[in-house]
């Protein structure tokens, strides 16, 4: 079984309803001229990230300030390649409302769109670094309802449950949980779509994980992809842009032409060569990928996003801290190895 990449915005003990937002896409993880995900125009020159909100108090932004105060100006300047870009918010597994409220309020002030990740499905992550999730189906339904209510009428892009569908396909999630998972995902899409300015993308892994995209077709259909705006690819993974886009087009053709978004946060150098079992966790030498934008030039690709927050550890491997903790040295490496425009 392929190990998976993980991302967290909040850490807590792993419990039945564990607050361990994370995720990934196993290593085994379209905007035309006017994008469907674009928020209200702000006028004037477009800022980094275009339509999407940049968190001024991210871990990267705080690190930049700290390094400036320490006189590490060169490192601080390099890290701005992360701090000045929009990144997804992974709301907490106990109460998502505070994180969502902060993001949507911040975005509203600038006429931008918040990017959010719903990651709390029961039996999440098959017991690996981000194991946990909601302790029951009813708890999850209530959590999704709170998540949606917190968005309100704000514009938002929601990436729904990274890994949940691929884990069904790769056999990691036991068969007895499949029917409930399909039902919960379908209900989550319907609930989120009741918010007037929400776009929902159901996660579909990455081409390095489920190599035959057609294996995802029926599971996505069972989970209600027809009701969603599309699917997400490469969350927390390192597959390069062209490989991911080709995979997205192939998968789209099997699910009614649905659009997709892709995570480019750390794919600037592509995946680590060698054994995929060892490539998922804090791989060395990786770099930031294409900056987030809703202007992709591809009619099926609605946006490139930084869904994984660059600099958050994948787990205690290669000298890293616990999954989801900020790791400034790794972040600096990603920034220095950033893909050239």
């Amino acid at each position: 079984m392929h190990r998976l990449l993980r991302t967290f915005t909040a850490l807590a003990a792993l419990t039945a309803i564990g607050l361990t937002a994370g995720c990934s896409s196993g290593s085994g993880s379209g905007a035309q001229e006017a994008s469907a995900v674009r928020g209200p125009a702000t006028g004037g020159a477009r800022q980094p990230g275009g339509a999407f909100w940049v968190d001024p108090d991210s871990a990267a932004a705080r690190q930049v300030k700290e390094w400036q105060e320490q006189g590490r100006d060169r490192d601080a300047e390099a890290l701005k390649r992360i701090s000045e870009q929009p990144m997804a918010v992974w709301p907490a597994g106990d109460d998502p409302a505070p994180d969502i409220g902060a993001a949507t309020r911040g975005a509203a002030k600038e006429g931008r769109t918040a990017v959010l990740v719903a990651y709390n499905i029961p039996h999440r992550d098959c017991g690996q670094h981000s194991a946990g999730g909601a302790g029951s189906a009813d708890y999850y339904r209530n959590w999704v309802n709170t998540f949606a209510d917190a968005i309100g009428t704000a514009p938002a892009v929601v990436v729904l449950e990274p890994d949940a569908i691929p884990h069904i396909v790769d056999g990691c999630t036991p068969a007895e949980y499949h029917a409930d998972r399909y039902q919960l995902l379908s209900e989550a899409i319907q609930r989120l779509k009741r918010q007037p300015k929400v776009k929902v993308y159901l996660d579909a892994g990455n081409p390095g994980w489920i190599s035959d995209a057609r294996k995802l077709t029926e599971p996505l259909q069972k989970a209600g992809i027809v009701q969603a705006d599309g699917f997400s690819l490469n969350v927390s993974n390192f597959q390069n842009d062209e490989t991911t886009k080709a995979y997205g087009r192939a998968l789209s053709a099997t699910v009614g032409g649905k659009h997709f978004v892709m995570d480019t946060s750390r794919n600037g150098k592509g995946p680590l060569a060698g054994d995929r079992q060892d490539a998922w966790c804090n791989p060395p030498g990786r770099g930031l990928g294409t900056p987030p934008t809703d202007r992709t030039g591809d009619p099926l690709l609605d946006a490139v996003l930084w869904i994984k927050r660059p600099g958050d550890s994948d787990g205690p491997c290669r000298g890293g801290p616990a999954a989801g903790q900020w790791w400034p040295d790794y972040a600096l490496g990603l920034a220095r190895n950033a893909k050239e425009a």
Side-chain angles (χ1 to χ4, degrees), residues 89-92 95-97 99-101 104 115-120 140-152 156-161 191-192 195 198:
V89 172
W90 298 65
D95 181 6
D99 293 332
I100 293 173
T104 54
V115 180
L116 310 170
V117 181
Y119 186 60
N120 201 32
Y140 184 70
R141 290 185 177 99
N142 290 333
W143 185 83
V144 169
N145 192 58
T146 300
F147 191 113
D149 283 345
I151 296 173
V157 169
V158 177
V159 175
L160 181 61
E161 295 301 339
R191 176 62 190 89
L192 289 163
Q195 306 311 119
V198 168

Side-chain angles (χ1 to χ4, degrees), residues 23-25 29 90 115-118 157-166 199-207 209 216 220 225 228-236 244 247-248 251 255 258-264 300-303 305 307:
C23 153
S24 94
S25 300
S29 164
W90 298 65
V115 180
L116 310 170
V117 181
V157 169
V158 177
V159 175
L160 181 61
E161 295 301 339
D163 300 349
I165 291 295
K199 302 294 182 182
V200 180
Y201 296 87
L202 179 59
D203 189 62
N206 68 73
W209 184 357
L216 292 158
L220 286 172
I225 188 69
D229 295 276
F231 53 91
S232 58
L233 295 174
N234 205 43
V235 175
S236 300
T244 303
Y247 188 83
L251 182 54
V255 289
K258 285 292 183 179
H259 290 198
F260 61 98
V261 297
M262 67 181 189
D263 186 356
T264 60
L300 287 176
L301 179 61
D302 284 347
L305 303 170
I307 301 170

Side-chain angles (χ1 to χ4, degrees), residues 11 59 81 91 95 119 143 145 174 190 198 214 219 254 271 297 306 330:
L11 294 174
R81 292 181 173 181
D95 181 6
Y119 186 60
W143 185 83
N145 192 58
Q190 293 177 58
V198 168
R214 293 170 297 181
T254 74
W306 284 7
Y330 195 80

Side-chain angles (χ1 to χ4, degrees), residues 182 202 216-227 254-256:
Y182 288 137
L202 179 59
L216 292 158
T217 303
E218 184 177 356
L220 286 172
Q221 291 170 338
K222 288 182 177 180
I225 188 69
V226 68
Q227 304 164 90
T254 74
V255 289

Side-chain angles (χ1 to χ4, degrees), residues 10-92:
L11 294 174
L14 294 176
T15 63
I17 56 172
L19 166 52
T20 47
C23 153
S24 94
S25 300
S27 51
S29 164
Q32 299 191 40
E33 287 305 308
S35 166
V37 302
R38 184 168 299 134
T42 58
R46 294 178 64 83
Q47 299 298 310
F52 306 116
W53 177 64
V54 178
D55 182 359
D57 192 40
S58 67
R62 294 194 299 271
Q63 191 69 62
V64 166
K65 182 178 180 180
E66 180 179 328
W67 281 349
Q68 288 173 333
E69 291 172 348
Q70 295 173 353
R72 294 179 59 177
D73 294 340
R74 185 175 179 182
D75 291 342
E77 192 64 27
L79 202 62
K80 288 181 180 180
R81 292 181 173 181
I82 297 176
S83 68
E84 294 180 351
Q85 294 294 342
M87 295 173 279
V89 172
W90 298 65

